[in-house]
Amino acid sequence: MNFSNNLRYLRKSHGYSQEFIAEKLGYKSFTTIQKWESGISEPSVEKLEQLANLFNVTMDELLTSDFEGNKLPRTETGTLVSEREEALLSIYRRLQESNKDKAY
């Protein structure tokens, strides 16, 4: 299933833990995220939308794309992101909000 693979790939490429995703979605534990990544269960449409927003992809891309196979994500305008840009973006996303402003 593409969703479980895409979720795992996007989470890891952004440097997020399952605990971080769970917290962002309002869960007390990472076990729900773990179940999604293993294909045991799937999120509601509401949670799917939150995940898509978190990773800056569409819900359709999250469900049907092969991010792992394509390796290079796309920007909002559809252009490919290089591995170097992806690494910088991953570092930026882990910064505290006040440091993001400084970096910008």
Side-chain angles (χ1 to χ4, degrees):
M1 164 180 274
N2 282 344
F3 169 72
S4 58
N5 293 336
N6 284 341
L7 177 58
R8 184 174 28 262
Y9 175 78
L10 289 169
R11 178 181 61 79
K12 288 181 177 184
S13 69
H14 284 79
Y16 297 156
S17 66
Q18 289 178 337
E19 292 88 357
F20 176 81
I21 301 293
E23 181 182 306
K24 285 290 190 185
L25 299 180
Y27 293 106
K28 293 181 181 180
S29 169
F30 69 93
T31 55
T32 299
I33 311 308
Q34 189 178 46
K35 288 178 182 179
W36 293 346
E37 288 187 4
S38 64
I40 294 172
S41 65
E42 294 180 349
S44 66
V45 172
E46 176 187 347
K47 296 300 182 184
L48 185 64
E49 184 176 19
Q50 290 176 336
L51 284 168
N53 289 335
L54 180 65
F55 294 119
N56 198 26
V57 297
T58 66
M59 289 193 301
D60 183 57
E61 288 172 322
L62 192 54
L63 292 171
T64 63
S65 293
D66 179 11
F67 289 114
E68 190 171 21
N70 294 331
K71 294 292 183 196
L72 296 176
R74 296 183 180 271
T75 66
E76 291 177 0
T77 60
T79 58
L80 287 175
V81 176
S82 72
E83 288 183 28
R84 188 172 185 178
E85 291 169 324
E86 184 179 2
L88 286 171
L89 186 56
S90 178
I91 293 167
Y92 175 82
R93 286 181 172 155
R94 286 182 270 160
L95 294 174
Q96 294 178 351
E97 287 303 317
S98 60
N99 290 333
K100 287 181 180 179
D101 291 338
K102 292 175 185 175
Y104 182 75

